[in-house]
Amino acid sequence: MADMNTLAWIIGFTLLGGVAGVLLASVFLLVPENSRRHALPFMVAFATGALLAAALLGLLPEAIEKAGPDNYGKVGLSLLGGIALFFVLEKLVLWRHCHEDDCETHSPEPAHSHGHGHGHGNDHGHGDAHRRAPGVMIIFGDTMHNALDGVLIAAAFLIDVNLGIMTGLAVLAHEVPSEVGNFAIMLHSGMSRAKAFGWNLFSALGSVLGGVLGYLTLSRLQPWLPYALGVSAASLLYVAVADLIPGLHRRVGAKDSFLQVILIAAGVALVAVVEHLHPH
């Protein structure tokens, strides 16, 4: 029978996996602005690879495994539903920041622009909206992902304390590069360093909430877990494919393109190594 000591372990390791990951990753914010601005497009390339790999090598296989062979189609539906959800969410973000002129006729500003340019009219407003949308979605998606990490940590502790400790440490190892990627996306979306840190910290607390909910109601949450994982995978895929990759295509030089390919591959490789060392 699970007791309060188990709950204390769960809260401790969800805090470690979430908040400590953000604090370690926040070292990126200390880099001087000019260096950070120069590095940002390449960090976005790395984040693109990491997001794609986390969705396709981590979350989706886990969702399919947990759903079982009779429910593969439902996992696909949850993925489609998640993509539709984030499409609508992005539309709402764009509408919120567009004025009454024909926003759709204006191209978004390049993702690697300085963010303080002197654009005119809706070109500037629409560019800002396009840049802001990935940051909003990554907050939503990462909060959900962290909550699911908390549920997984709770499940491990409810089985065995040692398994819970190993799972919590693995989540921490996974979260540090993930949070660096989130900082890159948020800064790329026009957030200040302070806002990016605050929202990432808020998102990280989702792991504690997920851990407590998992401890209290795991038996009722478990049947829905594969489909929640599908929606979480959809958030990562959507941000990578719909928002980050088009921005990468604006840098068409041979050197930039080569570095993007290398960094996308590095992001994929890092997640693949983490998944190999500690499969869910």
Side-chain angles (χ1 to χ4, degrees):
M1 175 70 88
D3 55 22
M4 294 305 292
N5 285 337
T6 303
L7 179 59
W9 278 107
I10 290 169
I11 292 173
F13 271 84
T14 51
L15 278 171
L16 180 68
V19 176
V22 171
L23 294 176
L24 289 171
S26 66
V27 172
F28 172 65
L29 300 178
L30 302 178
V31 176
E33 183 178 355
N34 287 338
S35 300
R36 198 172 65 243
R37 182 181 296 152
H38 178 74
L40 206 54
F42 302 109
M43 292 204 67
V44 169
F46 178 84
T48 299
L51 290 174
L52 290 171
L56 297 174
L57 302 181
L59 295 177
L60 273 181
E62 184 179 349
I64 290 169
E65 180 182 346
K66 288 183 178 297
D70 293 335
N71 295 308
Y72 289 166
K74 292 179 181 178
V75 174
L77 285 174
S78 71
L79 184 68
L80 285 172
I83 290 171
L85 171 66
F86 290 104
F87 175 79
V88 171
L89 178 61
E90 184 169 31
K91 282 291 188 186
L92 292 174
V93 172
L94 294 176
W95 288 334
R96 170 66 181 82
H97 293 283
C98 276
H99 300 295
E100 293 183 357
D101 292 334
D102 295 328
C103 275
E104 67 273 14
T105 64
H106 301 292
S107 297
E109 292 180 6
H112 59 277
S113 67
H114 289 182
H116 297 290
H118 301 288
H120 300 284
N122 272 1
D123 285 337
H124 183 69
H126 192 222
D128 284 347
H130 269 285
R131 291 174 62 239
R132 190 174 289 110
V136 173
M137 287 188 294
I138 206 68
I139 293 165
F140 184 91
D142 196 50
T143 302
M144 179 183 294
H145 177 70
N146 287 334
L148 291 169
D149 277 345
V151 172
L152 293 172
I153 290 172
F157 271 110
L158 288 171
I159 295 169
D160 179 73
V161 170
N162 290 332
L163 178 62
I165 292 171
M166 291 295 293
T167 302
L169 292 175
V171 166
L172 174 62
H174 162 77
E175 279 300 305
V176 173
S178 173
E179 296 298 344
V180 169
N182 288 347
F183 278 129
I185 293 165
M186 289 175 182
L187 295 175
H188 155 85
S189 299
M191 288 188 189
S192 67
R193 287 184 294 174
K195 279 189 177 179
F197 178 77
W199 278 115
N200 244 7
L201 197 59
F202 170 81
S203 175
L205 294 176
S207 62
V208 181
L209 178 62
V212 173
L213 287 175
Y215 172 81
L216 296 174
T217 60
L218 193 60
S219 61
R220 280 179 286 174
L221 288 177
Q222 225 155 12
W224 293 98
L225 187 58
Y227 314 115
L229 290 171
V231 174
S232 185
S235 74
L236 305 187
L237 286 172
Y238 188 90
V239 168
V241 174
D243 291 295
L244 300 188
I245 289 176
L248 296 178
H249 284 320
R250 296 191 183 99
R251 301 177 73 97
V252 296
K255 181 180 178 182
D256 284 345
S257 298
F258 178 75
L259 285 173
Q260 286 174 0
V261 171
I262 294 299
L263 287 166
I264 289 171
V268 171
L270 178 62
V271 173
V273 167
V274 171
E275 291 293 331
H276 177 73
L277 291 178
H278 191 88
H280 291 294

